Amino acid sequence: MDPFDAGAGGLLKQPKSVWATAGASVVAFMGIGLVDPILPSIAQGLDATASQVSLLFTSYFLITAVAMLVTGFVSSRIGGRRTLLLGLAFVVVFAGLAGTSGSVGELVGFRAGWGLGNALFVSTALAVIVGAAAGGSAAAILLYESALGLGMACGPLLGALLGDASWRYPFFGTAFLMAVGFLCIAVFLKEQPKPARKTSLLDPVKALGHGGLASAAASAFFYNYTFFTVLAFTPFVLNMSPYRSGAVFFAWGVLLAVFSVIVAPRLQKRFGSLKVLGGSLVLLAADVLVLGYGSHTAAVVCTILSGAFIGVNNTVYTELALGVSDAPRPVASAGYNFVRWFAAAAAPFLAPKIEEWTDAHVPFVVAALTAVAGAAVVVVRRKALTNEAEELEPKHATEDGVTVFAN
């Protein structure tokens, strides 16, 4: 059965609670790429440098990474629904405040609060969707990746449309949309049963003691550095108007969505997840090198094309994080995200600094090397990853044409 079949258990046949959570997830992921097309405008409006503006990503993801240790602790005590609503409330408040910022320091601070809310929401949303979705983990992960891809595509577009009038409007727009998401979750999502055992603050760190999960997290750390070099640094290199930059990253996001939801599962079924992941990381490295050293047209094309490789990688890494260990999904996800989001915080800060120390090409050389490092981890740790995750090879059993995920 095709996972997109509207029949029972298909991706399109889900409870209202799942659609409400997925819809709010779209807006949450929109917030990541929202500032992409308006980064130069923010720098100009607040009289800030590229490295200062890049802290919008750094503060956001640094807080997100640390908060991953808190999300399971909170959700296991107050429940998934209340955790989602708490996270959404944080985003609404801090996104709105971001639009009122009078300095880049204030904006960076408000983005940190936004990151806390996003961490509470995003990590819990995946667990809620997996728990409530019809069709098991396969349909749930595809739906989550669909939300991620759609959000990544629409974020830059919304940022460009609203940001053309003022860099402040995209923040106000996000606050409004997240308020709508808050209402949808409040109305359609019923409280799910709390876990029998409450999660401690150190459980995600302890989960990383599992060789397979630690390997997946380490590889994703290197990959995320590449990912967020493209997302946060490329807008300065392209140096385009908000509309043009928004169009480029919209096309990038469309490829991300298509390859994460449609192409990646088919490639995995044919070649196996680890081969697909390793190959995609190497191709991403080559793409980033051309982006850094090619003409302006080549840079635009490679920026868009990188969305395809990022989409494939996102899907495979999500499955690895949820299925490679015997830890509960929320705990495994929190430990995995705790590691990888540190790279997402580092890349936006380091890339402009590296440019200042050298030139505009070197940040992309570093990004290419980290993508290759991510692939090297997959190759070196292949035995641990393969032996401890049943879904990683195409020879293993599938259910309704979709790979069955462990745990």
Side-chain angles (χ1 to χ4, degrees):
M1 179 185 291
D2 193 309
F4 294 92
D5 189 352
L11 181 65
L12 302 180
K13 189 69 173 180
Q14 299 294 339
K16 290 181 179 179
S17 59
V18 172
W19 285 116
T21 307
S25 297
V26 171
V27 183
F29 287 117
M30 284 172 61
I32 295 177
L34 179 82
V35 299
D36 255 27
I38 58 172
L39 285 175
S41 299
I42 294 174
Q44 183 178 2
L46 295 178
D47 193 25
T49 65
S51 59
Q52 287 175 323
V53 173
S54 70
L55 291 175
L56 293 176
F57 286 99
T58 298
S59 64
Y60 181 89
F61 288 115
L62 185 61
I63 296 300
T64 297
V66 176
M68 285 300 165
L69 299 180
V70 180
T71 55
F73 178 87
V74 173
S75 63
S76 66
R77 285 162 174 77
I78 68 175
R81 180 176 180 273
R82 291 179 180 177
T83 303
L84 291 178
L85 293 175
L86 179 62
L88 287 170
F90 268 99
V91 174
V92 169
V93 170
F94 284 102
L97 288 173
T100 68
S101 301
S103 68
V104 69
E106 287 184 6
L107 185 54
V108 169
F110 292 141
R111 279 282 285 183
W114 187 342
L116 173 60
N118 207 59
L120 289 169
F121 176 82
V122 170
S123 62
T124 309
L126 177 57
V128 168
I129 290 175
V130 169
S137 298
I141 289 176
L142 287 178
L143 185 59
Y144 182 80
E145 292 298 333
S146 299
L148 187 154
L150 186 59
M152 286 290 195
C154 293
L157 192 62
L158 178 66
L161 293 175
L162 297 179
D164 188 59
S166 170
W167 64 264
R168 300 180 186 274
Y169 292 167
F171 297 106
F172 295 139
T174 300
F176 172 77
L177 290 174
M178 287 304 254
V180 173
F182 182 97
L183 292 175
C184 290
I185 296 292
V187 171
F188 294 113
L189 180 63
K190 296 180 180 180
E191 185 58 80
Q192 295 182 318
K194 297 179 183 178
R197 176 182 175 275
K198 293 181 179 180
T199 302
S200 75
L201 292 175
L202 293 180
D203 278 351
V205 177
K206 293 177 181 177
L208 291 170
H210 184 280
L213 183 60
S215 300
S219 178
F221 174 88
F222 291 115
Y223 155 67
N224 262 35
Y225 185 94
T226 309
F227 178 180
F228 284 94
T229 296
V230 173
L231 189 63
F233 182 64
T234 302
F236 292 105
V237 174
L238 296 180
N239 193 26
M240 303 167 77
S241 68
Y243 274 126
R244 289 179 180 273
S245 183
V248 168
F249 278 96
F250 173 72
W252 169 85
V254 169
L255 276 186
L256 189 155
V258 170
F259 274 75
S260 64
V261 178
I262 298 175
V263 178
R266 287 161 173 75
L267 290 175
Q268 289 173 274
K269 185 177 180 182
R270 181 171 181 179
F271 300 107
S273 291
L274 296 186
K275 290 180 181 178
V276 170
L277 181 59
S280 181
L281 286 168
V282 171
L283 290 173
L284 177 60
D287 179 83
V288 168
L289 278 179
V290 177
L291 195 166
Y293 281 93
S295 65
H296 188 270
T297 300
V300 170
V301 172
C302 288
T303 298
I304 295 172
L305 183 60
S306 69
F309 307 123
I310 289 170
V312 171
N313 295 337
N314 285 350
T315 293
V316 179
Y317 276 121
T318 299
E319 294 173 9
L320 282 174
L322 292 186
V324 75
S325 75
D326 55 359
R329 287 192 182 100
V331 174
S333 177
Y336 160 78
N337 282 301
F338 172 69
V339 173
R340 76 181 182 113
W341 285 129
F342 277 111
F349 174 75
L350 290 177
K353 290 294 184 182
I354 293 172
E355 181 194 24
E356 292 174 7
W357 299 332
T358 55
D359 58 46
H361 304 301
V362 178
F364 294 103
V365 175
V366 175
L369 290 174
T370 55
V372 172
V377 172
V378 172
V379 173
V380 172
R381 297 293 296 166
R382 180 180 180 83
K383 183 176 180 181
L385 291 169
T386 303
N387 289 345
E388 297 169 10
E390 292 181 354
E391 78 277 11
L392 293 182
E393 297 297 335
K395 63 183 180 181
H396 287 287
T398 59
E399 179 179 32
D400 294 334
V402 182
T403 306
V404 179
F405 301 122
N407 200 14

